[in-house]
Amino acid sequence: MFKRIRDDIQSVFDRDPAARNSFEVLTTYPGLHAVLWYRLSHWLWGLGLKWLARFISGLARWFTGIEIHPAAKIGNRFFIDHGMGVVIGETAEIGDDCTLYHGVTLGGTSWNEGKRHPTLGNRVVVGAGAKVLGPIEIGDDARIGSNAVVIKSVPNNRTVVGIPGRVVETNLSAKEKRRQKMAQKIGFDAYGVGQDVEDPVEKAIYSLLDHVQSQDEQLERLNEQVQKLGGADTHVDLPSLDDAVLEPDDPEQRAHVKPHETGETPK
């Protein structure tokens, strides 16, 4: 018991660079307080003192803003960063070295008895606001992105983002630089993923960008051949998105914007 508590304290130093000393961690970290309260209530739950365990769990929730059911099974070196709004259900299971951020819910989707909550493997990280719902399994070393809603099991070493949660891919193709350049040209920016992963929705959009770029190149070549055969130049300069001003901050510039360009009704 005491070794597990020492490991919980040490995990704060391992995963939070803001932690300065043991006294500060013990007195100011609500995530650690919630885990320590949980260890006590879980021990009492195992002894059959279920009302007392729930009562202590309720006190911990009142003091820390973190709700952990005493029947949940949590491994070693568990760390909750910030913690406000974290909810861990009765049948949830969490492996070793896992990290949860504020607003995370390990919840159920059924009122039936039995396994209703997720199982997290070892070294899982769940980002702020994420919801992991139902009796699903999250594999070892998985990452759940902030505000993701995960309702299906996740394999080992994968990252999940979005609503509903989607597994993102690593090892980007050689076309990535070209895609990013084209995306910059038309003003598209990937949402919700880092540059070292590839979201499936983003991948589909980039595929369309590749297709549009290829069409542009083919039309330019076709226009050149038409001119060589004596035809007219059909090239058309498309307006640049960089020149489009929807709502200028400068009042003088705004005065020159036509009503239909701002969505306002002409007076």
Side-chain angles (χ1 to χ4, degrees), residues 12-78:
V12 177
F13 291 100
D14 294 339
R15 280 171 264 177
D16 186 0
R20 296 183 297 178
N21 55 68
S22 297
F23 179 75
E24 181 181 59
V25 168
L26 283 169
T27 55
T28 65
Y29 275 65
L32 176 62
H33 300 161
V35 172
L36 296 180
W37 282 107
Y38 158 77
R39 300 293 186 200
L40 174 60
S41 65
H42 183 70
W43 178 69
L44 293 171
W45 185 274
L47 293 177
L49 303 174
K50 296 187 176 181
W51 178 88
L52 183 58
R54 290 299 302 268
F55 180 76
I56 291 176
S57 176
L59 284 178
R61 178 176 180 267
W62 191 80
F63 280 111
T64 66
I66 299 169
E67 181 174 347
I68 307 176
H69 195 285
K73 298 177 181 179
I74 299 177
N76 298 320
R77 298 173 297 279
F78 177 54

Short mmCIF file of all heavy atoms in Angstrom, two decimals, residues 12-78:
data_model
loop_
_atom_site.label_atom_id
_atom_site.label_comp_id
_atom_site.label_asym_id
_atom_site.label_seq_id
_atom_site.Cartn_x
_atom_site.Cartn_y
_atom_site.Cartn_z
N VAL A 12 4.02 12.06 -10.24
CA VAL A 12 3.77 13.49 -10.47
C VAL A 12 5.04 14.16 -10.97
O VAL A 12 5.02 14.93 -11.95
CB VAL A 12 3.26 14.16 -9.18
CG1 VAL A 12 3.08 15.66 -9.41
CG2 VAL A 12 1.96 13.53 -8.72
N PHE A 13 6.15 13.88 -10.33
CA PHE A 13 7.43 14.46 -10.76
C PHE A 13 7.83 13.98 -12.15
O PHE A 13 8.42 14.73 -12.93
CB PHE A 13 8.53 14.10 -9.75
CG PHE A 13 8.37 14.77 -8.42
CD1 PHE A 13 7.83 14.08 -7.35
CD2 PHE A 13 8.75 16.09 -8.22
CE1 PHE A 13 7.67 14.69 -6.11
CE2 PHE A 13 8.60 16.71 -7.00
CZ PHE A 13 8.06 16.01 -5.93
N ASP A 14 7.50 12.74 -12.45
CA ASP A 14 7.88 12.18 -13.75
C ASP A 14 7.09 12.79 -14.90
O ASP A 14 7.59 12.84 -16.03
CB ASP A 14 7.66 10.66 -13.75
CG ASP A 14 8.59 9.94 -12.80
OD1 ASP A 14 9.64 10.52 -12.44
OD2 ASP A 14 8.26 8.81 -12.39
N ARG A 15 5.85 13.26 -14.62
CA ARG A 15 5.00 13.70 -15.72
C ARG A 15 4.54 15.14 -15.64
O ARG A 15 3.80 15.60 -16.52
CB ARG A 15 3.77 12.78 -15.79
CG ARG A 15 4.06 11.47 -16.48
CD ARG A 15 2.93 10.48 -16.36
NE ARG A 15 3.14 9.56 -15.27
CZ ARG A 15 2.28 8.63 -14.89
NH1 ARG A 15 1.14 8.51 -15.53
NH2 ARG A 15 2.55 7.81 -13.89
N ASP A 16 4.96 15.88 -14.63
CA ASP A 16 4.60 17.29 -14.53
C ASP A 16 5.85 18.11 -14.24
O ASP A 16 6.35 18.12 -13.11
CB ASP A 16 3.56 17.51 -13.44
CG ASP A 16 3.05 18.94 -13.42
OD1 ASP A 16 3.52 19.76 -14.25
OD2 ASP A 16 2.18 19.26 -12.58
N PRO A 17 6.38 18.83 -15.23
CA PRO A 17 7.59 19.63 -15.00
C PRO A 17 7.38 20.78 -14.03
O PRO A 17 8.36 21.36 -13.55
CB PRO A 17 7.94 20.14 -16.41
CG PRO A 17 6.65 20.08 -17.17
CD PRO A 17 5.89 18.92 -16.62
N ALA A 18 6.11 21.11 -13.72
CA ALA A 18 5.85 22.20 -12.78
C ALA A 18 6.02 21.77 -11.32
O ALA A 18 6.09 22.61 -10.43
CB ALA A 18 4.43 22.73 -12.98
N ALA A 19 6.09 20.45 -11.07
CA ALA A 19 6.24 19.96 -9.70
C ALA A 19 7.65 20.28 -9.20
O ALA A 19 8.65 19.93 -9.83
CB ALA A 19 5.98 18.46 -9.67
N ARG A 20 7.73 20.92 -8.02
CA ARG A 20 9.04 21.36 -7.52
C ARG A 20 9.55 20.53 -6.35
O ARG A 20 10.73 20.25 -6.26
CB ARG A 20 8.96 22.84 -7.12
CG ARG A 20 8.67 23.76 -8.30
CD ARG A 20 8.68 25.21 -7.88
NE ARG A 20 7.62 25.50 -6.90
CZ ARG A 20 7.42 26.69 -6.34
NH1 ARG A 20 8.23 27.69 -6.66
NH2 ARG A 20 6.44 26.88 -5.48
N ASN A 21 8.67 20.16 -5.42
CA ASN A 21 9.11 19.39 -4.26
C ASN A 21 7.95 18.58 -3.71
O ASN A 21 6.78 18.83 -4.05
CB ASN A 21 9.70 20.30 -3.17
CG ASN A 21 8.73 21.39 -2.76
OD1 ASN A 21 7.70 21.12 -2.16
ND2 ASN A 21 9.06 22.64 -3.11
N SER A 22 8.24 17.61 -2.87
CA SER A 22 7.24 16.69 -2.36
C SER A 22 6.18 17.40 -1.52
O SER A 22 4.99 17.06 -1.59
CB SER A 22 7.91 15.59 -1.53
OG SER A 22 8.78 14.83 -2.32
N PHE A 23 6.59 18.38 -0.74
CA PHE A 23 5.62 19.09 0.10
C PHE A 23 4.58 19.80 -0.76
O PHE A 23 3.38 19.75 -0.48
CB PHE A 23 6.34 20.10 0.99
CG PHE A 23 5.41 20.90 1.87
CD1 PHE A 23 4.84 20.33 2.99
CD2 PHE A 23 5.10 22.21 1.55
CE1 PHE A 23 3.97 21.05 3.80
CE2 PHE A 23 4.23 22.94 2.34
CZ PHE A 23 3.67 22.36 3.47
N GLU A 24 5.04 20.46 -1.81
CA GLU A 24 4.12 21.15 -2.71
C GLU A 24 3.17 20.16 -3.38
O GLU A 24 1.96 20.42 -3.48
CB GLU A 24 4.91 21.92 -3.76
CG GLU A 24 4.03 22.68 -4.74
CD GLU A 24 4.84 23.40 -5.80
OE1 GLU A 24 5.58 22.71 -6.53
OE2 GLU A 24 4.75 24.63 -5.88
N VAL A 25 3.71 19.03 -3.83
CA VAL A 25 2.88 18.03 -4.49
C VAL A 25 1.83 17.48 -3.53
O VAL A 25 0.65 17.34 -3.89
CB VAL A 25 3.77 16.90 -5.05
CG1 VAL A 25 2.92 15.72 -5.49
CG2 VAL A 25 4.60 17.41 -6.22
N LEU A 26 2.24 17.17 -2.32
CA LEU A 26 1.32 16.58 -1.34
C LEU A 26 0.23 17.55 -0.90
O LEU A 26 -0.87 17.12 -0.54
CB LEU A 26 2.09 16.09 -0.12
CG LEU A 26 2.84 14.77 -0.28
CD1 LEU A 26 3.77 14.53 0.91
CD2 LEU A 26 1.85 13.62 -0.41
N THR A 27 0.50 18.83 -0.95
CA THR A 27 -0.46 19.80 -0.41
C THR A 27 -1.26 20.55 -1.48
O THR A 27 -2.29 21.15 -1.15
CB THR A 27 0.27 20.84 0.46
OG1 THR A 27 1.34 21.45 -0.31
CG2 THR A 27 0.86 20.18 1.69
N THR A 28 -0.85 20.53 -2.73
CA THR A 28 -1.50 21.38 -3.73
C THR A 28 -1.97 20.65 -4.98
O THR A 28 -2.50 21.31 -5.88
CB THR A 28 -0.56 22.53 -4.16
OG1 THR A 28 0.58 21.98 -4.84
CG2 THR A 28 -0.11 23.34 -2.97
N TYR A 29 -1.80 19.34 -5.06
CA TYR A 29 -2.18 18.62 -6.27
C TYR A 29 -3.46 17.83 -6.05
O TYR A 29 -3.43 16.75 -5.46
CB TYR A 29 -1.05 17.68 -6.71
CG TYR A 29 0.00 18.35 -7.56
CD1 TYR A 29 0.80 19.36 -7.03
CD2 TYR A 29 0.17 18.01 -8.90
CE1 TYR A 29 1.76 19.99 -7.81
CE2 TYR A 29 1.13 18.63 -9.68
CZ TYR A 29 1.93 19.63 -9.14
OH TYR A 29 2.87 20.25 -9.91
N PRO A 30 -4.61 18.35 -6.52
CA PRO A 30 -5.88 17.64 -6.30
C PRO A 30 -5.93 16.28 -6.98
O PRO A 30 -6.60 15.38 -6.51
CB PRO A 30 -6.93 18.59 -6.88
CG PRO A 30 -6.18 19.46 -7.83
CD PRO A 30 -4.81 19.62 -7.26
N GLY A 31 -5.22 16.12 -8.10
CA GLY A 31 -5.18 14.83 -8.77
C GLY A 31 -4.57 13.77 -7.87
O GLY A 31 -5.08 12.64 -7.78
N LEU A 32 -3.49 14.12 -7.20
CA LEU A 32 -2.86 13.19 -6.27
C LEU A 32 -3.77 12.94 -5.07
O LEU A 32 -3.90 11.81 -4.61
CB LEU A 32 -1.51 13.74 -5.80
CG LEU A 32 -0.80 12.91 -4.74
CD1 LEU A 32 -0.46 11.52 -5.27
CD2 LEU A 32 0.46 13.62 -4.25
N HIS A 33 -4.40 14.00 -4.56
CA HIS A 33 -5.33 13.83 -3.42
C HIS A 33 -6.43 12.83 -3.78
O HIS A 33 -6.77 11.95 -2.98
CB HIS A 33 -5.95 15.17 -3.04
CG HIS A 33 -4.95 16.20 -2.62
ND1 HIS A 33 -5.23 17.54 -2.60
CD2 HIS A 33 -3.65 16.07 -2.22
CE1 HIS A 33 -4.17 18.21 -2.21
NE2 HIS A 33 -3.19 17.34 -1.97
N ALA A 34 -6.99 12.97 -4.99
CA ALA A 34 -8.07 12.08 -5.41
C ALA A 34 -7.60 10.63 -5.48
O ALA A 34 -8.33 9.71 -5.08
CB ALA A 34 -8.62 12.53 -6.76
N VAL A 35 -6.39 10.43 -5.97
CA VAL A 35 -5.86 9.07 -6.06
C VAL A 35 -5.64 8.48 -4.67
O VAL A 35 -5.96 7.31 -4.41
CB VAL A 35 -4.54 9.05 -6.87
CG1 VAL A 35 -3.89 7.67 -6.81
CG2 VAL A 35 -4.81 9.44 -8.32
N LEU A 36 -5.12 9.28 -3.75
CA LEU A 36 -4.89 8.79 -2.39
C LEU A 36 -6.22 8.46 -1.70
O LEU A 36 -6.34 7.42 -1.02
CB LEU A 36 -4.12 9.83 -1.58
CG LEU A 36 -2.70 10.15 -2.08
CD1 LEU A 36 -2.05 11.20 -1.21
CD2 LEU A 36 -1.86 8.89 -2.14
N TRP A 37 -7.23 9.31 -1.86
CA TRP A 37 -8.55 9.02 -1.32
C TRP A 37 -9.11 7.74 -1.95
O TRP A 37 -9.73 6.91 -1.26
CB TRP A 37 -9.51 10.18 -1.59
CG TRP A 37 -9.37 11.35 -0.68
CD1 TRP A 37 -8.84 12.57 -0.98
CD2 TRP A 37 -9.78 11.44 0.69
NE1 TRP A 37 -8.89 13.41 0.09
CE2 TRP A 37 -9.47 12.74 1.15
CE3 TRP A 37 -10.38 10.55 1.57
CZ2 TRP A 37 -9.73 13.16 2.43
CZ3 TRP A 37 -10.65 10.97 2.87
CH2 TRP A 37 -10.32 12.25 3.29
N TYR A 38 -8.88 7.59 -3.26
CA TYR A 38 -9.36 6.38 -3.94
C TYR A 38 -8.70 5.13 -3.36
O TYR A 38 -9.37 4.11 -3.16
CB TYR A 38 -9.07 6.46 -5.44
CG TYR A 38 -9.06 5.09 -6.08
CD1 TYR A 38 -10.23 4.40 -6.36
CD2 TYR A 38 -7.83 4.44 -6.34
CE1 TYR A 38 -10.21 3.12 -6.90
CE2 TYR A 38 -7.81 3.17 -6.87
CZ TYR A 38 -9.00 2.51 -7.15
OH TYR A 38 -8.97 1.24 -7.66
N ARG A 39 -7.39 5.18 -3.13
CA ARG A 39 -6.71 4.01 -2.59
C ARG A 39 -7.36 3.57 -1.28
O ARG A 39 -7.56 2.37 -1.04
CB ARG A 39 -5.23 4.33 -2.35
CG ARG A 39 -4.43 4.73 -3.59
CD ARG A 39 -4.28 3.61 -4.58
NE ARG A 39 -3.38 4.00 -5.69
CZ ARG A 39 -3.36 3.42 -6.85
NH1 ARG A 39 -4.17 2.40 -7.11
NH2 ARG A 39 -2.53 3.82 -7.80
N LEU A 40 -7.71 4.53 -0.43
CA LEU A 40 -8.35 4.21 0.85
C LEU A 40 -9.75 3.64 0.63
O LEU A 40 -10.11 2.60 1.20
CB LEU A 40 -8.41 5.45 1.73
CG LEU A 40 -9.18 5.32 3.05
CD1 LEU A 40 -8.57 4.24 3.94
CD2 LEU A 40 -9.22 6.67 3.78
N SER A 41 -10.55 4.32 -0.20
CA SER A 41 -11.93 3.86 -0.40
C SER A 41 -11.97 2.51 -1.10
O SER A 41 -12.83 1.67 -0.80
CB SER A 41 -12.71 4.92 -1.20
OG SER A 41 -12.19 5.05 -2.52
N HIS A 42 -11.05 2.27 -2.02
CA HIS A 42 -10.99 0.97 -2.70
C HIS A 42 -10.64 -0.15 -1.72
O HIS A 42 -11.19 -1.27 -1.80
CB HIS A 42 -9.96 1.03 -3.83
CG HIS A 42 -9.88 -0.23 -4.64
ND1 HIS A 42 -10.88 -0.65 -5.50
CD2 HIS A 42 -8.91 -1.19 -4.71
CE1 HIS A 42 -10.53 -1.79 -6.07
NE2 HIS A 42 -9.34 -2.14 -5.60
N TRP A 43 -9.75 0.13 -0.79
CA TRP A 43 -9.38 -0.85 0.24
C TRP A 43 -10.59 -1.18 1.11
O TRP A 43 -10.87 -2.34 1.40
CB TRP A 43 -8.23 -0.31 1.06
CG TRP A 43 -7.79 -1.21 2.17
CD1 TRP A 43 -7.16 -2.41 2.07
CD2 TRP A 43 -7.96 -0.95 3.57
NE1 TRP A 43 -6.92 -2.94 3.30
CE2 TRP A 43 -7.39 -2.07 4.26
CE3 TRP A 43 -8.49 0.09 4.32
CZ2 TRP A 43 -7.37 -2.15 5.65
CZ3 TRP A 43 -8.46 0.01 5.70
CH2 TRP A 43 -7.92 -1.10 6.36
N LEU A 44 -11.34 -0.14 1.50
CA LEU A 44 -12.54 -0.36 2.31
C LEU A 44 -13.60 -1.12 1.52
O LEU A 44 -14.31 -1.96 2.08
CB LEU A 44 -13.09 0.99 2.79
CG LEU A 44 -12.21 1.76 3.78
CD1 LEU A 44 -12.76 3.16 4.00
CD2 LEU A 44 -12.10 1.01 5.10
N TRP A 45 -13.71 -0.80 0.23
CA TRP A 45 -14.68 -1.52 -0.62
C TRP A 45 -14.35 -3.01 -0.64
O TRP A 45 -15.24 -3.86 -0.57
CB TRP A 45 -14.66 -0.94 -2.02
CG TRP A 45 -15.68 -1.50 -2.96
CD1 TRP A 45 -15.56 -2.62 -3.72
CD2 TRP A 45 -16.98 -0.97 -3.23
NE1 TRP A 45 -16.70 -2.82 -4.47
CE2 TRP A 45 -17.59 -1.82 -4.18
CE3 TRP A 45 -17.66 0.14 -2.79
CZ2 TRP A 45 -18.86 -1.59 -4.69
CZ3 TRP A 45 -18.93 0.38 -3.27
CH2 TRP A 45 -19.53 -0.48 -4.22
N GLY A 46 -13.08 -3.33 -0.73
CA GLY A 46 -12.66 -4.72 -0.74
C GLY A 46 -12.95 -5.43 0.57
O GLY A 46 -13.13 -6.66 0.59
N LEU A 47 -13.01 -4.67 1.68
CA LEU A 47 -13.34 -5.26 2.98
C LEU A 47 -14.84 -5.43 3.18
O LEU A 47 -15.27 -5.97 4.20
CB LEU A 47 -12.77 -4.38 4.10
CG LEU A 47 -11.25 -4.29 4.21
CD1 LEU A 47 -10.86 -3.34 5.33
CD2 LEU A 47 -10.64 -5.67 4.43
N GLY A 48 -15.62 -4.96 2.21
CA GLY A 48 -17.07 -5.06 2.33
C GLY A 48 -17.72 -3.85 2.97
O GLY A 48 -18.94 -3.83 3.14
N LEU A 49 -16.93 -2.83 3.32
CA LEU A 49 -17.46 -1.61 3.93
C LEU A 49 -17.85 -0.64 2.82
O LEU A 49 -17.25 0.43 2.64
CB LEU A 49 -16.43 -0.99 4.88
CG LEU A 49 -15.94 -1.92 6.00
CD1 LEU A 49 -14.81 -1.26 6.78
CD2 LEU A 49 -17.11 -2.28 6.92
N LYS A 50 -18.87 -1.00 2.07
CA LYS A 50 -19.18 -0.28 0.84
C LYS A 50 -19.77 1.10 1.10
O LYS A 50 -19.48 2.05 0.37
CB LYS A 50 -20.11 -1.13 -0.03
CG LYS A 50 -19.44 -2.42 -0.49
CD LYS A 50 -20.27 -3.20 -1.47
CE LYS A 50 -19.51 -4.43 -1.98
NZ LYS A 50 -20.28 -5.20 -2.96
N TRP A 51 -20.61 1.21 2.13
CA TRP A 51 -21.16 2.55 2.40
C TRP A 51 -20.06 3.52 2.78
O TRP A 51 -20.01 4.66 2.30
CB TRP A 51 -22.19 2.50 3.53
CG TRP A 51 -22.73 3.88 3.84
CD1 TRP A 51 -23.78 4.49 3.25
CD2 TRP A 51 -22.18 4.80 4.79
NE1 TRP A 51 -23.94 5.77 3.76
CE2 TRP A 51 -22.97 5.98 4.71
CE3 TRP A 51 -21.12 4.76 5.69
CZ2 TRP A 51 -22.73 7.09 5.51
CZ3 TRP A 51 -20.87 5.88 6.48
CH2 TRP A 51 -21.66 7.03 6.38
N LEU A 52 -19.16 3.07 3.67
CA LEU A 52 -18.06 3.94 4.10
C LEU A 52 -17.16 4.29 2.91
O LEU A 52 -16.70 5.43 2.79
CB LEU A 52 -17.25 3.24 5.19
CG LEU A 52 -16.10 4.05 5.80
CD1 LEU A 52 -16.61 5.37 6.37
CD2 LEU A 52 -15.37 3.23 6.87
N ALA A 53 -16.94 3.31 2.04
CA ALA A 53 -16.12 3.57 0.85
C ALA A 53 -16.76 4.62 -0.04
O ALA A 53 -16.08 5.54 -0.52
CB ALA A 53 -15.90 2.27 0.07
N ARG A 54 -18.08 4.52 -0.24
CA ARG A 54 -18.78 5.51 -1.07
C ARG A 54 -18.80 6.88 -0.39
O ARG A 54 -18.70 7.92 -1.05
CB ARG A 54 -20.21 5.05 -1.36
CG ARG A 54 -20.33 3.87 -2.30
CD ARG A 54 -19.75 4.18 -3.68
NE ARG A 54 -20.35 5.32 -4.32
CZ ARG A 54 -21.39 5.24 -5.14
NH1 ARG A 54 -21.95 4.06 -5.42
NH2 ARG A 54 -21.88 6.32 -5.71
N PHE A 55 -18.90 6.89 0.93
CA PHE A 55 -18.92 8.15 1.66
C PHE A 55 -17.58 8.87 1.50
O PHE A 55 -17.53 10.08 1.24
CB PHE A 55 -19.22 7.89 3.14
CG PHE A 55 -19.25 9.14 3.97
CD1 PHE A 55 -20.34 9.99 3.92
CD2 PHE A 55 -18.18 9.45 4.81
CE1 PHE A 55 -20.37 11.16 4.68
CE2 PHE A 55 -18.21 10.61 5.57
CZ PHE A 55 -19.30 11.46 5.50
N ILE A 56 -16.49 8.12 1.67
CA ILE A 56 -15.16 8.72 1.50
C ILE A 56 -14.96 9.17 0.06
O ILE A 56 -14.38 10.24 -0.20
CB ILE A 56 -14.08 7.71 1.92
CG1 ILE A 56 -14.14 7.50 3.44
CG2 ILE A 56 -12.69 8.19 1.50
CD1 ILE A 56 -13.19 6.45 3.95
N SER A 57 -15.45 8.39 -0.89
CA SER A 57 -15.36 8.78 -2.30
C SER A 57 -16.11 10.08 -2.55
O SER A 57 -15.64 10.94 -3.31
CB SER A 57 -15.93 7.66 -3.18
OG SER A 57 -15.93 8.04 -4.54
N GLY A 58 -17.26 10.23 -1.90
CA GLY A 58 -18.03 11.47 -2.04
C GLY A 58 -17.30 12.66 -1.44
O GLY A 58 -17.33 13.77 -2.01
N LEU A 59 -16.64 12.46 -0.30
CA LEU A 59 -15.85 13.54 0.29
C LEU A 59 -14.71 13.95 -0.65
O LEU A 59 -14.44 15.14 -0.83
CB LEU A 59 -15.27 13.09 1.64
CG LEU A 59 -16.22 13.04 2.83
CD1 LEU A 59 -15.48 12.54 4.07
CD2 LEU A 59 -16.82 14.42 3.11
N ALA A 60 -14.06 12.95 -1.23
CA ALA A 60 -12.97 13.24 -2.15
C ALA A 60 -13.46 14.04 -3.36
O ALA A 60 -12.79 14.97 -3.82
CB ALA A 60 -12.32 11.93 -2.61
N ARG A 61 -14.63 13.68 -3.84
CA ARG A 61 -15.22 14.41 -4.97
C ARG A 61 -15.50 15.86 -4.58
O ARG A 61 -15.29 16.79 -5.36
CB ARG A 61 -16.50 13.72 -5.41
CG ARG A 61 -17.24 14.40 -6.56
CD ARG A 61 -18.44 13.55 -6.96
NE ARG A 61 -19.18 14.14 -8.05
CZ ARG A 61 -20.23 14.95 -7.90
NH1 ARG A 61 -20.65 15.25 -6.68
NH2 ARG A 61 -20.85 15.44 -8.95
N TRP A 62 -15.98 16.06 -3.36
CA TRP A 62 -16.31 17.41 -2.90
C TRP A 62 -15.05 18.26 -2.77
O TRP A 62 -15.04 19.44 -3.09
CB TRP A 62 -17.03 17.32 -1.54
CG TRP A 62 -17.64 18.60 -1.10
CD1 TRP A 62 -18.82 19.14 -1.52
CD2 TRP A 62 -17.07 19.53 -0.16
NE1 TRP A 62 -19.04 20.34 -0.89
CE2 TRP A 62 -17.98 20.60 -0.05
CE3 TRP A 62 -15.91 19.54 0.60
CZ2 TRP A 62 -17.75 21.68 0.79
CZ3 TRP A 62 -15.67 20.62 1.44
CH2 TRP A 62 -16.59 21.68 1.52
N PHE A 63 -13.96 17.66 -2.30
CA PHE A 63 -12.72 18.40 -2.09
C PHE A 63 -11.92 18.59 -3.37
O PHE A 63 -11.22 19.61 -3.52
CB PHE A 63 -11.84 17.67 -1.06
CG PHE A 63 -12.24 17.92 0.37
CD1 PHE A 63 -12.78 16.89 1.12
CD2 PHE A 63 -12.09 19.16 0.95
CE1 PHE A 63 -13.16 17.11 2.44
CE2 PHE A 63 -12.47 19.39 2.28
CZ PHE A 63 -13.01 18.36 3.02
N THR A 64 -11.96 17.64 -4.28
CA THR A 64 -11.06 17.68 -5.45
C THR A 64 -11.76 17.93 -6.78
O THR A 64 -11.09 18.28 -7.76
CB THR A 64 -10.29 16.35 -5.57
OG1 THR A 64 -11.21 15.29 -5.86
CG2 THR A 64 -9.54 16.03 -4.28
N GLY A 65 -13.06 17.72 -6.87
CA GLY A 65 -13.75 17.83 -8.14
C GLY A 65 -13.54 16.62 -9.03
O GLY A 65 -13.86 16.66 -10.22
N ILE A 66 -13.01 15.55 -8.46
CA ILE A 66 -12.72 14.32 -9.21
C ILE A 66 -13.52 13.18 -8.59
O ILE A 66 -13.46 12.97 -7.37
CB ILE A 66 -11.21 13.99 -9.15
CG1 ILE A 66 -10.41 15.13 -9.78
CG2 ILE A 66 -10.92 12.66 -9.84
CD1 ILE A 66 -8.92 15.03 -9.54
N GLU A 67 -14.25 12.46 -9.43
CA GLU A 67 -15.09 11.37 -8.92
C GLU A 67 -14.54 10.02 -9.41
O GLU A 67 -14.53 9.74 -10.60
CB GLU A 67 -16.53 11.54 -9.39
CG GLU A 67 -17.46 10.45 -8.87
CD GLU A 67 -18.91 10.69 -9.22
OE1 GLU A 67 -19.24 11.81 -9.66
OE2 GLU A 67 -19.72 9.75 -9.08
N ILE A 68 -14.10 9.21 -8.47
CA ILE A 68 -13.59 7.87 -8.77
C ILE A 68 -14.40 6.87 -7.95
O ILE A 68 -14.38 6.92 -6.72
CB ILE A 68 -12.10 7.72 -8.45
CG1 ILE A 68 -11.28 8.81 -9.13
CG2 ILE A 68 -11.61 6.34 -8.88
CD1 ILE A 68 -9.80 8.77 -8.78
N HIS A 69 -15.11 5.99 -8.61
CA HIS A 69 -15.88 4.99 -7.87
C HIS A 69 -14.91 4.05 -7.15
O HIS A 69 -13.91 3.62 -7.74
CB HIS A 69 -16.75 4.19 -8.83
CG HIS A 69 -17.82 3.40 -8.14
ND1 HIS A 69 -17.55 2.25 -7.44
CD2 HIS A 69 -19.16 3.61 -8.04
CE1 HIS A 69 -18.67 1.76 -6.94
NE2 HIS A 69 -19.66 2.58 -7.29
N PRO A 70 -15.15 3.75 -5.89
CA PRO A 70 -14.22 2.91 -5.13
C PRO A 70 -14.07 1.50 -5.68
O PRO A 70 -13.09 0.81 -5.36
CB PRO A 70 -14.81 2.89 -3.71
CG PRO A 70 -16.23 3.31 -3.88
CD PRO A 70 -16.26 4.24 -5.04
N ALA A 71 -15.01 1.04 -6.51
CA ALA A 71 -14.90 -0.31 -7.07
C ALA A 71 -14.03 -0.35 -8.32
O ALA A 71 -13.66 -1.43 -8.79
CB ALA A 71 -16.29 -0.85 -7.41
N ALA A 72 -13.68 0.82 -8.88
CA ALA A 72 -12.83 0.84 -10.06
C ALA A 72 -11.47 0.23 -9.74
O ALA A 72 -11.00 0.28 -8.60
CB ALA A 72 -12.67 2.28 -10.56
N LYS A 73 -10.83 -0.33 -10.76
CA LYS A 73 -9.52 -0.96 -10.58
C LYS A 73 -8.46 -0.11 -11.28
O LYS A 73 -8.50 0.05 -12.50
CB LYS A 73 -9.53 -2.38 -11.14
CG LYS A 73 -10.53 -3.30 -10.45
CD LYS A 73 -10.55 -4.68 -11.10
CE LYS A 73 -11.58 -5.57 -10.43
NZ LYS A 73 -11.64 -6.92 -11.07
N ILE A 74 -7.54 0.42 -10.47
CA ILE A 74 -6.53 1.34 -10.99
C ILE A 74 -5.14 0.82 -10.63
O ILE A 74 -4.88 0.48 -9.47
CB ILE A 74 -6.74 2.76 -10.43
CG1 ILE A 74 -8.11 3.29 -10.84
CG2 ILE A 74 -5.63 3.69 -10.92
CD1 ILE A 74 -8.43 4.66 -10.29
N GLY A 75 -4.26 0.79 -11.62
CA GLY A 75 -2.91 0.27 -11.43
C GLY A 75 -1.97 1.25 -10.77
O GLY A 75 -2.39 2.26 -10.18
N ASN A 76 -0.70 0.96 -10.88
CA ASN A 76 0.34 1.76 -10.22
C ASN A 76 0.68 3.02 -11.01
O ASN A 76 0.48 3.09 -12.22
CB ASN A 76 1.61 0.94 -10.05
CG ASN A 76 1.39 -0.29 -9.17
OD1 ASN A 76 0.68 -0.23 -8.17
ND2 ASN A 76 1.97 -1.41 -9.57
N ARG A 77 1.18 4.00 -10.27
CA ARG A 77 1.69 5.25 -10.86
C ARG A 77 0.65 5.94 -11.74
O ARG A 77 0.95 6.41 -12.84
CB ARG A 77 2.99 4.98 -11.65
CG ARG A 77 4.10 4.45 -10.76
CD ARG A 77 5.31 4.03 -11.56
NE ARG A 77 5.00 2.90 -12.45
CZ ARG A 77 4.96 1.62 -12.06
NH1 ARG A 77 5.19 1.30 -10.81
NH2 ARG A 77 4.69 0.66 -12.93
N PHE A 78 -0.55 6.01 -11.25
CA PHE A 78 -1.65 6.67 -11.95
C PHE A 78 -1.59 8.16 -11.66
O PHE A 78 -1.44 8.58 -10.51
CB PHE A 78 -2.97 6.08 -11.47
CG PHE A 78 -4.19 6.73 -12.07
CD1 PHE A 78 -4.35 6.83 -13.43
CD2 PHE A 78 -5.21 7.20 -11.25
CE1 PHE A 78 -5.47 7.41 -14.00
CE2 PHE A 78 -6.34 7.78 -11.80
CZ PHE A 78 -6.47 7.88 -13.16
#
